[in-house]
Amino acid sequence: MKSLLILFLGLAGNALASPADGSKPNIIFILSDDMGWNEPAFNGGKAEWTPHMDQLRKAGVSLDQFYVHAVCSPTRAAFMTGRYAFRTWADWRSEDFGKPSYLAMLDMKLAKNEAGDDTRRIHGLATEERTVAEALKEAGYFTSIVGKWHCGEWLPGQLPMGQGFMHQYGHYGWGIDYNNKTIPHNAPARYAVYDWHRNQQPILEPGYSTDLIANEAVRVIAQHRMKQQTSGEAQPLFMYVAFNAIHGPLEEIPRYTDRYEKRYAALKCLDDAVGRIVEAVDQCGYGDNTLVILANDNGGLTPEQNAPYRGTKNTNYEGGVRVPCVMRWPGKLEAGGTNSAMMHVTDLFPTFATLAGASLEQERPLDGINMTEALFAGAESPREEIVFEITGSVRPPSMRRGKYKLVGKELFDLEADPSEKTDLAGKLPEIAKELSSHLDTVSKQRPPLEGMDRLMSPALPWVYGQEENANAPDWLKELVKQVRATQPTEWAPGTTPWPQAPKDGKIIYTGDGR
């Protein structure tokens, strides 16, 4: 254990204590889904789309070198564990194990369950992983997740309340119909499954999911404040608000469609929701003792949404992995400021834990580095490199070290060429070789892929959550039947309801990217 702790401390950084360390602030982490770099107003989008996000940015600090992984599930698992996605095999999403084009990349085929049906192998965040929710819960926080989970949708131990959250609300899978709360398909099955829960029980609620997520967040914040007032206890709050907006499917949107196309009507609804949550923090008197963070899980679907950066979601170019991020904490962070410290989503785990006074002693070392000095004391970032992908990932091995970034076999100088237009691998072969060799070394740290004998059965459940499906209520079954009756019964050969796997590290999304 001692050697593991020494290794962890080396990775977690040698930062001196910042003034905010151990102060136990409330922490509200808001994560949007599939929003492009330039879509919020503070990064170049139209001011009328995101006035509340823009106000949050004016009141806080913009981090202009904040990085994530290239798609949603890897980013979420990296945040939860403080570890690169490959260490938990989260660089492969749970639904990928029901998609033939993804399975082929692992030399695997669709599994069949005991009923003889094509089904997916069960994949999710292992219960052995220590999560940021568990760390903060141990430090005395009330821990709440509101919105999208996407770290496992079937086994109890892989669901939020098995991973340290005391309160859960929202959906488990990759995305839902915002109104009827069904996920459009359960790959390889091509029909809908219900996915809307509170405290891991299915619930029937009318309304648009973006609005409902905001409603729940506001409710929990207000209830927490009332509990503090009545009990006299100052228990801090950690809330992870993970919107499915503006991820597809973008079906009926309750407002703004008379003024904007669907994507931007959905974005403006998301902005409304962000504004309501920040307002609730302030109205409850939490403003001066709350770190509010707004970030996104990966790049937008098209290059235009991520300009001036190259690439899209599901690629490791800057447009796929550099995302908007703002932080507000009055009196601790400069209003209207910009912080260019290089940070990765894994860094939030040790940073939150340090602010909370939580223990960082654990058996599985972190890749995340405590950033409190860089955020609150003006220090330079202690992070020198980021590993985005390694051998065996869906996308080619990629990393950044200093100003240089390797994406597959392409090498870029991000200081001189942030839009990654000029491949320098031919001119700087030694640097490309050095980074590639490092990725080869890190690739040897990938653990074995375990649990592939666990199969989803039934292949097409009524609702996500193994225990919930076993006791699915009649109202839920009738709702799902009605949705499935509207879905196509046949697909042309070679086509599916979901995008195919990337090829050569590139992908083209059509429609709303569902």
Side-chain angles (χ1 to χ4, degrees):
M1 178 65 186
K2 183 177 180 180
S3 62
L4 287 171
L5 178 58
I6 292 172
L7 174 60
F8 165 76
L9 291 174
L11 287 168
N14 299 313
L16 299 174
S18 84
D21 291 3
S23 60
K24 291 187 177 293
N26 301 308
I27 300 172
I28 311 291
F29 178 40
I30 304 171
L31 190 67
S32 61
D33 198 331
D34 283 6
M35 181 172 65
W37 171 266
N38 64 31
E39 293 186 303
F42 59 81
N43 273 351
K46 292 184 179 181
E48 61 198 86
W49 292 343
T50 59
H52 297 104
M53 295 185 200
D54 205 38
Q55 180 57 41
L56 184 65
R57 188 267 176 271
K58 291 175 182 176
V61 170
S62 175
L63 280 67
D64 60 8
Q65 292 196 81
F66 185 83
Y67 287 91
V68 293
H69 286 298
V71 284
C72 41
S73 183
T75 290
R76 294 159 202 276
F79 163 61
M80 288 302 303
T81 63
R83 289 154 51 80
Y84 290 136
F86 78 84
R87 298 197 190 279
T88 59
W89 278 88
D91 47 345
W92 294 81
R93 301 164 298 184
S94 57
E95 65 269 21
D96 292 340
F97 289 90
K99 298 178 178 180
S101 64
Y102 282 86
L103 288 169
M105 299 175 71
L106 291 170
D107 295 322
M108 297 171 69
K109 296 182 178 180
L110 281 176
K112 289 186 181 292
N113 61 20
E114 67 274 11
D117 298 324
D118 288 339
T119 193
R120 71 168 64 170
R121 294 169 171 85
I122 301 299
H123 180 53
L125 192 62
T127 56
E128 293 80 8
E129 294 289 335
R130 183 176 185 238
T131 69
V132 64
E134 289 170 329
L136 297 185
K137 181 180 178 182
E138 292 166 7
Y141 276 66
F142 182 80
T143 56
S144 169
I145 179 172
V146 181
K148 175 177 174 177
W149 171 239
H150 207 184
C151 289
E153 63 273 277
W154 195 243
L155 300 179
Q158 295 176 351
L159 298 178
M161 298 185 79
Q163 298 282 12
F165 285 103
M166 302 161 72
H167 165 263
Q168 176 275 330
Y169 176 87
H171 64 103
Y172 304 149
W174 60 265
I176 55 169
D177 182 298
Y178 290 58
N179 295 288
N180 66 34
K181 320 303 186 300
T182 64
I183 193 164
H185 56 74
N186 182 58
R190 303 181 181 202
Y191 298 99
V193 178
Y194 196 73
D195 195 13
W196 199 247
H197 323 254
R198 179 181 283 117
N199 293 333
Q200 294 180 193
Q201 293 296 318
I203 54 172
L204 178 63
E205 281 188 316
Y208 184 65
S209 64
T210 301
D211 296 336
L212 294 177
I213 289 169
N215 291 350
E216 186 79 358
V218 169
R219 183 186 70 82
V220 172
I221 292 168
Q223 284 190 343
H224 190 74
R225 180 59 172 162
M226 286 189 289
K227 180 181 176 182
Q228 287 182 325
Q229 290 177 328
T230 56
S231 69
E233 297 179 1
Q235 182 185 32
L237 170 66
F238 167 55
M239 177 178 285
Y240 173 31
V241 187
F243 286 97
N244 58 309
I246 49 179
H247 197 297
L250 299 176
E251 304 292 2
E252 295 182 15
I253 300 168
R255 53 194 180 277
Y256 305 129
T257 52
D258 59 330
R259 296 157 56 186
Y260 309 114
E261 61 179 277
K262 278 188 172 183
R263 181 174 180 86
Y264 296 106
L267 178 61
K268 190 161 179 60
C269 288
L270 171 63
D271 183 73
D272 290 345
V274 170
R276 291 181 58 212
I277 294 169
V278 175
E279 183 181 25
V281 169
D282 293 342
Q283 286 185 345
C284 287
Y286 283 149
D288 290 342
N289 191 39
T290 298
L291 173 61
V292 177
I293 302 174
L294 170 67
N296 192 64
D297 63 346
N298 47 248
L301 301 180
T302 70
E304 293 77 15
Q305 294 161 3
N306 303 312
Y309 300 118
R310 177 183 178 183
T312 67
K313 170 183 178 176
N314 223 333
T315 75
N316 282 301
Y317 299 110
E318 291 290 280
V321 295
R322 188 189 292 211
V323 298
C325 180
V326 296
M327 297 187 178
R328 190 199 78 163
W329 189 356
K332 300 292 194 301
L333 293 170
E334 179 187 3
T338 298
N339 190 322
S340 295
M342 181 167 66
M343 289 183 60
H344 188 252
V345 68
T346 53
D347 300 333
L348 295 179
F349 183 126
T351 300
F352 289 0
T354 300
L355 293 173
S359 171
L360 286 174
E361 294 186 20
Q362 58 182 68
E363 292 187 4
R364 298 188 179 191
L366 302 183
D367 296 298
I369 302 172
N370 173 31
M371 290 287 171
T372 56
E373 277 286 298
L375 289 170
F376 303 109
E380 293 185 358
S381 172
R383 177 171 287 284
E384 298 179 352
E385 69 177 38
I386 298 171
V387 174
F388 295 107
E389 311 280 353
I390 62 168
T391 301
S393 293
V394 174
R395 295 150 293 277
S398 304
M399 68 170 293
R400 175 179 174 178
R401 176 180 290 167
K403 68 178 183 177
Y404 291 109
K405 184 173 170 199
L406 190 72
V407 181
K409 296 181 179 180
E410 298 175 288
L411 179 69
F412 304 101
D413 178 344
L414 293 180
E415 287 185 3
D417 179 27
S419 298
E420 297 171 307
K421 295 179 179 179
T422 304
D423 178 9
L424 299 176
K427 290 185 177 181
L428 301 173
E430 291 304 313
I431 294 176
K433 181 179 179 181
E434 178 184 343
L435 297 183
S436 181
S437 177
H438 181 65
L439 285 169
D440 288 342
T441 299
V442 177
S443 293
K444 296 175 183 177
Q445 300 174 19
R446 182 189 284 277
L449 178 58
E450 298 178 342
M452 290 293 98
D453 57 336
R454 299 176 302 189
L455 306 180
M456 186 170 285
S457 188
L460 183 61
W462 296 108
V463 60
Y464 278 147
Q466 187 179 44
E467 294 178 353
E468 294 170 68
N469 187 68
N471 299 288
D474 290 341
W475 65 259
L476 187 154
K477 293 179 181 179
E478 288 303 313
L479 187 154
V480 172
K481 286 178 183 178
Q482 292 173 18
V483 173
R484 290 176 182 172
T486 68
Q487 294 186 277
T489 58
E490 296 181 0
W491 290 80
T495 64
T496 58
W498 51 84
Q500 301 304 302
K503 292 185 178 180
D504 300 321
K506 299 175 177 65
I507 190 169
I508 297 176
Y509 285 98
T510 59
D512 55 23
R514 71 185 66 188

